[in-house]
Structure formats: C-alpha cells, structure tokens
Amino acid sequence: MAPHPTPDVQSLPILRSEVPRLLGFILRREIAEDENPSRATEAGWDSLKHIELVFLVEDHFGVRFAEQEIAELEDARGIERLVEAHLLQARLLEQELGERGAACGTI
C-alpha cells in the first residue's frame, strides 16, 4: 500500500476515511468510517498487528509516535486524534520557523 501525500491542517477530515482504510488493511477486513474498532473488540488486533499498524500510519502520514503514545493507542478514534495532533504540531512548527526566518531576513 503506497503512502499518500501528508494531508495539511485544512484536509484533516481525510483522517476519518484513511485511518479505517489503513486499519482494515492490517486487520484484513473492511472497516466503515463510522466504526471504531479497538484492541479490546478485535481478536486479530494483537501486539504484532499493533506495531504493523503503527508503522503503516507513521509512514502514511509522515509522523512519528513516542513509545508512550504507541502503548496508549487503543482504537481507531484514538489513532485519528493522535495523527491530527502530530499534524497540527508540525504545521505550527513550520509556521513558527517561517516567521523566525522572515524576521531574520532569511526568507
């Protein structure tokens, strides 16, 4: 499954379709956008599948999760929230660096 371009803040609703699609790829079943599968409800979501999912989501969205964040991921909505938080943080950092560069006359 080839990664798609990282969505920007304006296209965050894409998470509502992409996370279930990625989760479905790992669990080998179709997952509806309004479904919220979890580690507790999915027999196939074992520790190996969890790590596979984390790597797939990180690569797909161009983010990296901390160990603690990985351990706390329990369901599709939690993955969406975490990806959204990372994308927003990256966007804010880009803006801050751009403003600093403009203030220094480097941009």
Side-chain angles (χ1 to χ4, degrees), residues 7-66:
D8 60 19
V9 175
Q10 288 74 32
S11 63
L12 286 176
I14 197 171
L15 293 173
R16 301 303 180 263
S17 63
E18 288 297 293
V19 169
R21 189 177 71 81
L22 297 173
L23 187 53
F25 177 77
I26 293 296
L27 296 178
R28 293 190 168 89
R29 74 171 186 85
E30 189 170 327
I31 296 174
E33 286 184 37
D34 62 344
E35 191 178 348
N36 187 28
S38 70
R39 293 178 78 178
T41 62
E42 292 290 326
W45 191 341
D46 59 17
S47 59
L48 180 58
K49 292 293 183 190
H50 189 70
I51 296 303
E52 288 178 30
L53 176 62
V54 167
F55 287 156
L56 182 61
V57 169
E58 286 180 333
D59 288 346
H60 185 79
F61 290 106
V63 298
R64 290 291 171 254
F65 302 135

Side-chain angles (χ1 to χ4, degrees), residues 33 50 58 74 96-97 99 101:
E33 286 184 37
H50 189 70
E58 286 180 333
E74 293 295 326
E96 183 179 319
L97 291 174
E99 290 170 7

Side-chain angles (χ1 to χ4, degrees), residues 45-96:
W45 191 341
D46 59 17
S47 59
L48 180 58
K49 292 293 183 190
H50 189 70
I51 296 303
E52 288 178 30
L53 176 62
V54 167
F55 287 156
L56 182 61
V57 169
E58 286 180 333
D59 288 346
H60 185 79
F61 290 106
V63 298
R64 290 291 171 254
F65 302 135
E67 285 183 38
Q68 185 65 31
E69 291 172 324
I70 294 169
E72 293 173 356
L73 288 176
E74 293 295 326
D75 58 25
R77 296 296 174 264
I79 295 169
E80 291 170 3
R81 285 189 300 273
L82 186 58
V83 169
E84 182 177 11
H86 277 264
L87 293 175
L88 287 171
Q89 183 179 22
R91 176 59 106 191
L92 291 172
L93 181 59
E94 285 176 15
Q95 289 173 347
E96 183 179 319

